[in-house]
Amino acid sequence: MVAIIKNTLTFEEFLNWDDRSGRSFELINGVAMPLSEPTAKHEDVVDGLCRLLIDHCQSLNLPYIPRQSKQVRLNTAALENESSRKADIVVFAKKEWERMRQSSAAAAAYIPPPLVIEVVSTNWRDDYRIKLNEYENLGVLEYWIVDYAGLGGVQYIGSPKQPTVTVNRLINGEYQAQCYQGEASIISPTFPQLKLTTVQIVAMTEA
């Protein structure tokens, strides 16, 4: 990817920055970097999964607010410029969302959210390696990798490759992964009453 601007930005400046191109960006070491446009199936999965989680939270009156395409501020070492990821789905704590509703600042994950979900694209290594390390370091308690097309490496989803949802749970500062395929019920620490399978997620691309 090619940097769009040379001057570095803070996370807050980045949230208010607009190059008027309509493209999506992430903040990488203080520089706004463009993102590839998602496929229609990718958007179907993100939209369908987010709607399902919203309905689940509302029906059970859970203290969470799921939202699509929100920036997540990453941990930054001293003297380094800030970075962020534009996650496919961010599940905010309801109290944090209410706090942001009282603010004029852009809605984003300024603190580690309870759950982040990334839907795998052709650059699957980012989701399985780079973003996993970033969210682990940030302290995100639960991180889903939704590989609806079975694109990931065999070390992550097995052989033969097939659609897989990997739920990473933060335990003692490290992610412990559990993979779900087919009709196996996805077990989520954040949503223990959720009834969902990988087959159901794949079906979101066929509606």
Side-chain angles (χ1 to χ4, degrees):
M1 293 186 292
V2 178
I4 295 301
I5 59 173
K6 294 182 179 179
N7 295 331
T8 58
L9 301 169
T10 66
F11 182 65
E12 287 76 13
E13 290 171 339
F14 169 67
L15 292 177
N16 294 314
W17 174 80
D18 184 4
D19 78 331
R20 303 184 185 279
S21 70
R23 297 188 65 182
S24 295
F25 293 82
E26 291 177 334
L27 186 67
I28 306 300
N29 195 26
V31 177
M33 304 289 286
L35 296 173
S36 300
E37 293 299 320
T39 65
K41 286 187 175 182
H42 184 282
E43 290 203 20
D44 285 342
V45 171
V46 173
D47 185 63
L49 189 52
C50 191
R51 288 175 182 271
L52 184 149
L53 293 177
I54 289 172
D55 290 344
H56 182 71
C57 290
Q58 291 177 346
S59 65
L60 296 180
N61 194 28
L62 300 178
Y64 302 111
I65 304 292
R67 289 293 183 264
Q68 296 182 40
S69 301
K70 291 301 179 186
Q71 297 286 342
V72 178
R73 180 168 61 182
L74 302 177
N75 276 343
T76 304
L79 303 180
E80 287 188 358
N81 295 313
E82 291 186 283
S83 296
S84 72
R85 288 292 183 183
K86 190 170 188 178
D88 288 318
I89 299 174
V90 176
V91 177
F92 293 89
K94 192 171 185 178
K95 287 184 177 180
E96 173 64 8
W97 189 258
E98 291 296 333
R99 182 196 67 76
M100 288 191 290
R101 290 184 65 185
Q102 308 304 315
S103 171
S104 60
Y110 298 88
I111 62 175
L115 171 61
V116 170
I117 298 174
E118 296 286 7
V119 177
V120 173
S121 300
T122 52
N123 57 340
W124 55 267
R125 290 174 179 82
D126 288 355
D127 299 312
Y128 282 100
R129 298 176 185 175
I130 300 173
K131 292 180 185 179
L132 183 141
N133 289 333
E134 291 171 340
Y135 294 143
E136 181 183 72
N137 184 52
L138 182 61
V140 175
L141 295 178
E142 187 175 346
Y143 169 45
W144 289 21
I145 304 172
V146 178
D147 195 347
Y148 69 91
L151 297 174
V154 295
Q155 68 266 46
Y156 302 110
I157 65 175
S159 180
K161 293 185 179 183
Q162 59 182 303
T164 304
V165 175
T166 304
V167 175
N168 297 282
R169 182 180 182 183
L170 194 67
I171 300 176
N172 296 325
E174 296 183 3
Y175 277 142
Q176 302 295 318
Q178 180 64 53
C179 295
Y180 300 93
Q181 298 175 335
E183 296 283 1
S185 296
I186 297 169
I187 306 301
S188 167
T190 305
F191 299 118
Q193 294 175 277
L194 183 67
K195 305 299 182 183
L196 182 65
T197 68
T198 303
V199 167
Q200 289 175 293
I201 292 176
V202 173
M204 294 174 183
T205 69
E206 303 165 353

